[in-house]
């Protein structure tokens, strides 16, 4: 949890630094890229906050961040009991948006996104609470400690996306936005770490290896194209 808080703080610092750079662009003259508003909403990776600026009459640039850390229930990972998992997203997203209808930035728009998003699914497995089968005999390991199972990248992966959206006016300053599209993401393999210096019994290690093979076979068969959906409110400042 502390690692994700650190990543979130770095994302916020980066966003605020970008805002400062944009506003101070071309020092001594009128800023070329003036912040026009903020965008607050939710998408498949959690709550979203962004700042945007206009590029001409029909184009916009937006820079935003998201953070989500929630339990998502139990699943079958090949052990004798289902295990609880936690899902986390931390990321920055760059968006280029072009409106097709008119110069009021309402109606249909196309959107290209590129985000650096750290996604992790983690589980803590109490091995002493599991049963293990060897030669059709169920065995317990009360002296076994816990292990951590994780599906997470080593670095922030870049995720491109392409969407079609609609914007409608709520008031003179507020507008409603929704977009639907596709994104490309390759999910890596799962790994595990035993939380003890003691050696695991062979029957426990065999079951862990079998479970990891089952999980990674499932992950390797996942598609690389996923849907992306965003619902938000933009506000002019």
């Amino acid at each position: 949890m502390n690692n994700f808080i650190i990543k979130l703080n770095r994302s916020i610092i980066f966003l605020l630094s970008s805002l400062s750079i944009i506003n101070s662009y071309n020092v001594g003259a009128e800023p070329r890229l003036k912040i026009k508003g903020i965008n607050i909403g939710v998408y498949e990776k959690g709550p979203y906050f962004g700042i945007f600026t206009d590029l001409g009459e029909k184009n916009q640039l937006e820079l935003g961040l998201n953070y989500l850390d929630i339990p998502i229930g139990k699943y079958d990972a090949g052990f004798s009991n289902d295990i609880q998992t936690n899902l986390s997203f931390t990321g920055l997203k760059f968006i280029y948006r072009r409106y097709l209808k008119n110069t009021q930035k309402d109606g249909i728009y196309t959107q290209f996104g590129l985000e650096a998003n750290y996604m992790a699914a983690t589980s803590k497995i109490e091995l002493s609470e599991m049963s293990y089968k060897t030669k059709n005999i169920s065995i317990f390991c009360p002296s076994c400690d816990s292990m951590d199972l994780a599906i997470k990248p080593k670095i922030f992966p870049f995720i491109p996306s392409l969407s079609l959206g609609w914007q409608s006016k709520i008031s003179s300053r507020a507008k409603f936005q929704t977009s639907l599209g596709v994104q490309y993401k390759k999910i890596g393999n799962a790994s595990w770490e035993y939380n003890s210096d003691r050696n695991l019994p062979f029957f426990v290690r065999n079951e862990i290896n079998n479970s990891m093979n089952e999980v990674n076979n499932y992950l390797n068969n996942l598609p690389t194209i996923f849907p992306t959906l965003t619902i938000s409110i933009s506000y002019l400042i």
Side-chain angles (χ1 to χ4, degrees):
M1 179 65 182
N2 289 335
N3 290 336
F4 283 104
I5 292 176
I6 292 172
K7 292 183 179 69
L8 178 62
N9 288 337
R10 288 175 179 173
S11 298
I12 293 173
I13 292 172
F14 182 84
L15 181 65
L16 294 177
S17 299
S18 300
L19 174 61
S20 176
I21 291 172
I22 291 174
N23 276 328
S24 61
Y25 187 75
N26 194 22
V27 177
E30 184 70 19
R32 296 179 185 176
L33 297 179
K34 183 178 180 181
I35 300 304
K36 292 294 185 179
I38 60 175
N39 201 3
I40 301 174
V42 63
Y43 73 134
E44 72 279 351
K45 299 180 185 69
Y48 173 84
F49 174 81
I51 54 175
F52 62 87
T53 185
D54 290 340
L55 289 178
E57 296 181 336
K58 290 188 176 183
N59 304 312
Q60 280 183 343
L61 286 181
E62 184 167 308
L63 183 66
L65 62 85
N66 77 287
Y67 178 76
L68 181 69
D69 188 359
I70 58 171
I72 58 173
K74 295 184 177 181
Y75 72 101
D76 182 5
F79 292 93
S80 59
N81 300 330
D82 291 347
I83 61 174
Q84 177 73 42
T85 188
N86 204 72
L87 185 64
S88 299
F89 292 100
T90 305
L92 285 168
K93 188 171 186 178
F94 167 82
I95 294 172
Y96 168 73
R97 189 179 294 122
R98 179 171 176 81
Y99 293 86
L100 305 180
K101 183 180 178 181
N102 54 41
T103 58
Q104 299 302 314
K105 295 185 173 62
D106 284 330
I108 299 175
Y109 62 85
T110 57
Q111 178 174 288
F112 171 76
L114 184 64
E115 57 184 310
N117 201 289
Y118 187 93
M119 184 197 81
T122 56
S123 299
K124 185 174 184 180
I125 304 172
E126 298 295 340
L127 297 176
S128 61
E129 299 177 0
M130 304 292 174
S131 63
Y132 310 91
K133 282 193 174 183
T134 177
K135 295 182 179 179
N136 295 323
I137 300 175
S138 293
I139 304 175
F140 290 88
C141 183
S143 62
C144 287
D145 289 307
S146 65
M147 62 166 274
D148 294 326
L149 189 154
I151 305 169
K152 58 184 179 181
K154 294 181 180 180
I155 59 174
F156 275 77
F158 287 99
I159 305 172
S161 62
L162 186 63
S163 303
L164 187 66
W166 176 268
Q167 178 167 279
S168 58
K169 184 177 180 180
I170 299 175
S171 67
S172 60
R173 288 186 174 271
K175 295 185 179 183
F176 172 79
Q177 286 184 347
T178 182
S179 65
L180 177 65
V182 294
Q183 60 183 321
Y184 174 86
K185 179 172 177 58
K186 176 64 176 177
I187 298 176
N189 285 343
S191 60
W192 66 279
E193 182 178 358
Y194 185 46
N195 298 319
S196 175
D197 294 330
R198 294 178 294 180
N199 292 327
L200 283 167
F202 75 92
F203 54 86
V204 176
R205 184 172 289 275
N206 287 342
E207 180 134 342
I208 291 174
N209 290 334
N210 291 336
S211 299
M212 294 301 298
N213 288 335
E214 183 176 326
V215 170
N216 285 328
N217 285 336
Y218 171 79
L219 293 174
N220 290 333
N221 288 325
L222 287 176
T224 55
I225 301 297
F226 296 90
T228 176
L229 172 67
T230 303
I231 299 174
S232 63
I233 301 291
S234 64
Y235 186 81
L236 298 176
I237 56 177

